[in-house]
Amino acid sequence: MNDKNLFTLEIPGEPHALSKARSFACEVACQVGFTESEVNKIEIAVDEACSNIMEHGYADLSPKPVIHIQIRIEKRTIMIELIDHGKTFDYDGYAAPTFPDHWEKGNTRGVGLFLIRQCMDKVSYRGSTGASNCLRMVKRR
Amino acid sequence: MSESGLGDAPAPLLEIESMIQNGVEVFMPVGAVDMSTIGEFEHRLRPACSRPNARVVVDCAGLTYLNSSSLGLFYKFFNVCRNQAGAFALCGVSSKILEIIKLLGLDKVLLIYGTREEAVDHVQRGNQK
């Protein structure tokens, strides 16, 4: 692996760090030629994914662990991995919402993973109790 | 590129000004609404939307980012206003934010106008979807 294709950032697992995570992902995506619309979607995916980690994975932890963001560029593909040290998420058990039913039932949240899947081409998750979890998100130009 | 975000001081991300225009309370947030600022955002909008016959417009022109929870909040305020004979609308929505609104099916539900004047005019007359 050529290191020039690897971009890494470590952020505190707290909400004030979200803007840094978004800026970082957008900067890398812009550098490799993604369109403005694609960069916007990458920004949404990174923000929603980091928010989920902070809100759910790190809910019971104090102090909050860091989140590692690794971005790999391969030709026309960007692969973003978010590695956290919190509670494992039941990724396969997630039921995607349908609209407008979701809103009409009074829900105002619970659409983060849906958005991530809409914004990226491929999303996968590897959870590991007691170790680290990894959400991988891939998008092609 | 390798960076560390550890130890960075939090920067102010969101400023919210408001004004009354033709009897309509218009909010003009500038910055990003994400998990770090949504509490402040809700705190500012909730009192205005909770009044009977509330007429509220959020001018989104200054927003650089809006997360999914903020949009859920918009839907909640839209309903709160509507259920109390009021009206709630958005204007100045960038293509970036409109894209998220569409992905979440909220373009079919929320009142969205191009300009502040249009939004104020419709909300003042109590237009509802």
Side-chain angles (χ1 to χ4, degrees):
Chain A
M1 175 65 61
N2 188 339
D3 274 349
K4 74 179 183 184
N5 294 328
L6 176 65
F7 303 83
T8 64
L9 176 71
E10 191 176 87
I11 61 164
E14 302 195 35
H16 71 78
L18 285 169
S19 61
K20 195 169 183 88
R22 293 197 302 270
S23 300
F24 172 65
C26 289
E27 189 183 330
V28 175
C30 283
Q31 277 180 24
V32 296
F34 279 92
T35 65
E36 189 180 341
S37 174
E38 289 167 335
V39 172
N40 290 342
K41 287 182 176 171
I42 290 167
E43 180 181 21
I44 293 166
V46 168
D47 180 87
E48 295 287 342
C50 288
S51 297
N52 280 347
I53 293 168
M54 293 170 186
E55 186 175 2
H56 303 295
Y58 288 178
D60 303 325
L61 302 179
S62 182
K64 307 296 182 192
V66 297
I67 299 173
H68 303 275
I69 305 176
Q70 295 187 352
I71 304 183
R72 243 177 249 286
I73 303 299
E74 291 290 328
K75 295 180 183 171
R76 301 172 66 85
T77 300
I78 187 169
M79 183 176 79
I80 303 171
E81 288 187 334
L82 301 183
I83 298 154
D84 73 81
H85 311 280
K87 200 164 54 182
T88 301
F89 170 64
D90 180 15
Y91 182 82
D92 294 326
Y94 175 79
T98 55
F99 303 113
D101 305 12
H102 179 81
W103 307 115
E104 287 169 352
K105 285 177 185 165
N107 299 306
T108 56
R109 308 166 71 85
V111 298
L113 184 54
F114 170 83
L115 258 188
I116 293 167
R117 286 172 170 167
Q118 291 292 308
C119 291
M120 304 299 282
D121 294 325
K122 191 176 175 186
V123 182
S124 59
Y125 178 77
R126 188 195 66 235
S128 177
T129 306
S132 58
N133 309 300
C134 177
L135 180 75
R136 177 180 287 180
M137 307 180 287
V138 177
K139 193 168 187 66
R140 292 172 194 85
R141 278 195 286 140
Chain B
M1 187 192 323
S2 181
E3 301 177 39
S4 171
L6 291 173
D8 286 356
L13 269 181
L14 181 69
E15 290 180 8
I16 308 170
E17 290 190 2
S18 65
M19 60 181 282
I20 305 290
Q21 188 173 331
N22 298 337
V24 175
E25 190 153 8
V26 181
F27 289 89
M28 296 154 288
V30 175
V33 185
D34 63 11
M35 193 180 167
S36 70
T37 55
I38 192 167
E40 181 191 351
F41 192 59
E42 182 171 11
H43 179 74
R44 286 293 305 276
L45 266 70
R46 181 187 283 163
C49 297
S50 300
R51 286 189 279 271
N53 305 307
R55 302 274 191 266
V56 177
V57 166
V58 179
D59 187 339
C60 300
L63 284 177
T64 54
Y65 185 77
L66 205 56
N67 70 359
S68 63
S69 299
S70 330
L71 293 168
L73 209 54
F74 280 158
Y75 182 69
K76 179 175 149 187
F77 288 142
F78 170 79
N79 266 335
V80 168
C81 290
R82 187 175 56 177
N83 293 339
Q84 298 193 92
F88 177 93
L90 306 178
C91 66
V93 177
S94 65
S95 56
K96 171 182 177 174
I97 290 171
L98 188 60
E99 196 159 18
I100 312 176
I101 288 175
K102 286 181 175 174
L103 283 172
L104 296 178
L106 284 169
D107 56 314
K108 299 176 180 69
V109 182
L110 295 174
L111 288 171
I112 302 172
Y113 298 99
T115 66
R116 189 187 302 176
E117 287 67 31
E118 278 179 280
V120 167
D121 181 49
H122 283 81
V123 165
Q124 189 189 26
R125 288 188 274 120
N127 279 9
Q128 296 175 354
K129 215 158 194 172

